[in-house]
């Protein structure tokens, strides 16, 4: 079946540090890949997505590139801020036809940015 | 623009009591609808999805049920809650058009504590 693996953390960085959160997936065919962010006590917000190999998703200074050869979708940001502190979820969606297909999530990475 | 609302935001219920969480989507028609649960240490789990009125698919056998009485309304229910039903419940929607690239949008979530 489909699965997503990501570092769980917590990951603690200083403000303005470079961020990488690794994400790898297992799926047949060509899934779409997503990063969601969850701030404390809130629901999930889409951060970025990529729907085919070599696509780069980007938003709010975050980037991730769909690498089919390494089955990865690592999240990066050049300079993090305290406001980036949250839980980040990597997810995939595989359309198999005939019905609705939900997302398969990683377990989430708790990111803490210290001033 | 589309919006999703779910309620109540927080709920404390005794073991054995019933449950009803409601979710509505505005600004779109014929959406796919989803219920997810986020329990401590277990990540995000897809519970139910629906592609139309009265059409519900269950992903995990459990003490819960879902119904879709109207196109944009999705209800999560239980007749008798268990302690293990505690968690953060998220309603979500996506467009029904084919393809894995459609984003799934989440509501703000409902915190359920069974005591």
């Amino acid at each position: 079946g489909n699965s997503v693996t990501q570092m769980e953390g917590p990951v603690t960085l200083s403000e303005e540090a470079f961020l990488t959160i690794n994400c790898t997936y297992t799926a047949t065919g060509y899934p779409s890949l997503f990063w969601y962010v969850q701030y404390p006590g809130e629901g999930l917000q889409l951060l970025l997505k990529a729907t085919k190999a070599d696509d780069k998703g980007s938003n709010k200074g975050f980037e991730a590139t769909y690498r089919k050869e390494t089955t990865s979708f690592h999240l990066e940001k050049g300079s993090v801020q305290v406001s980036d502190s949250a839980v980040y979820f990597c997810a995939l969606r595989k359309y198999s036809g005939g019905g609705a297909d939900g997302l398969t999530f990683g377990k989430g990475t708790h990111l803490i940015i210290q001033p | 623009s589309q919006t999703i609302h779910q309620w109540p935001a927080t709920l404390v219920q005794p073991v054995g009591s019933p449950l009803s969480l409601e979710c509505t989507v505005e600004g779109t028609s014929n959406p796919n609808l989803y219920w997810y649960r986020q329990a401590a240490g277990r990540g995000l789990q897809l519970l139910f999805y629906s592609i139309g009125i009265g059409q519900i698919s269950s992903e995990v056998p459990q003490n819960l049920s879902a119904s879709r009485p109207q196109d944009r309304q999705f209800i999560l229910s239980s007749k008798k809650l268990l302690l293990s039903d505690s968690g953060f419940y998220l309603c979500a929607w996506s467009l029904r058009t084919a393809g894995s690239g459609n984003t799934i949008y989440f509501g703000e979530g409902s915190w359920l504590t069974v005591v």
Side-chain angles (χ1 to χ4, degrees):
Chain A
N2 301 330
S3 67
V4 175
T5 302
Q6 63 178 110
M7 53 204 299
E8 292 185 36
V11 173
T12 303
L13 295 172
S14 297
E15 203 166 21
E16 299 184 0
F18 184 86
L19 169 71
T20 299
I21 300 178
N22 290 336
C23 171
T24 57
Y25 69 90
T26 301
T28 57
Y30 303 94
S32 291
L33 301 174
F34 302 80
W35 276 101
Y36 283 84
V37 58
Q38 184 178 33
Y39 298 101
E42 298 183 8
L44 273 68
Q45 302 175 26
L46 176 70
L47 183 58
L48 52 84
K49 71 178 185 182
T51 59
K52 60 182 186 295
D54 299 325
D55 268 2
K56 177 187 283 188
S58 61
N59 186 27
K60 299 180 181 179
F62 291 90
E63 293 183 340
T65 301
Y66 188 159
R67 301 285 189 200
K68 188 165 178 62
E69 64 276 13
T70 55
T71 62
S72 65
F73 193 52
H74 304 322
L75 182 68
E76 296 181 337
K77 186 176 184 182
S79 177
V80 293
Q81 305 300 312
V82 172
S83 57
D84 294 326
S85 299
V87 180
Y88 292 80
F89 291 91
C90 185
L92 70 81
R93 189 178 188 191
K94 177 87 189 327
Y95 182 75
S96 59
D101 297 288
L103 292 158
T104 299
F105 284 93
K107 292 193 173 182
T109 300
H110 186 194
L111 176 65
I112 300 170
I113 307 300
Q114 297 178 332
Chain B
S1 65
Q2 301 89 358
T3 57
I4 179 169
H5 303 284
Q6 63 176 104
W7 68 93
T10 59
L11 200 58
V12 179
Q13 292 285 100
V15 169
S17 64
L19 171 72
S20 180
L21 299 179
E22 293 195 33
C23 171
T24 58
V25 179
E26 300 293 336
T28 188
S29 297
N30 305 314
N32 292 335
L33 296 174
Y34 308 85
W35 279 110
Y36 282 84
R37 177 170 61 198
Q38 187 176 24
R42 296 179 63 182
L44 280 150
Q45 182 181 41
L46 177 63
L47 302 176
F48 300 95
Y49 67 83
S50 171
I51 62 170
I53 296 173
Q55 296 178 275
I56 310 294
S57 295
S58 174
E59 290 292 296
V60 182
Q62 59 218 323
N63 185 41
L64 303 168
S65 61
S67 61
R68 186 170 177 172
Q70 301 180 42
D71 180 48
R72 292 171 291 157
Q73 183 184 24
F74 206 24
I75 298 171
L76 183 69
S77 304
S78 174
K79 293 183 179 179
K80 290 185 177 181
L81 284 168
L82 306 172
L83 287 174
S84 58
D85 292 324
S86 295
F88 190 47
Y89 289 81
L90 291 155
C91 183
W93 74 274
S94 73
L95 294 174
R96 191 175 299 177
T97 52
S100 63
N102 292 328
T103 298
I104 294 181
Y105 298 94
F106 288 83
E108 290 299 309
S110 298
W111 284 101
L112 170 65
T113 303
V114 183
V115 297

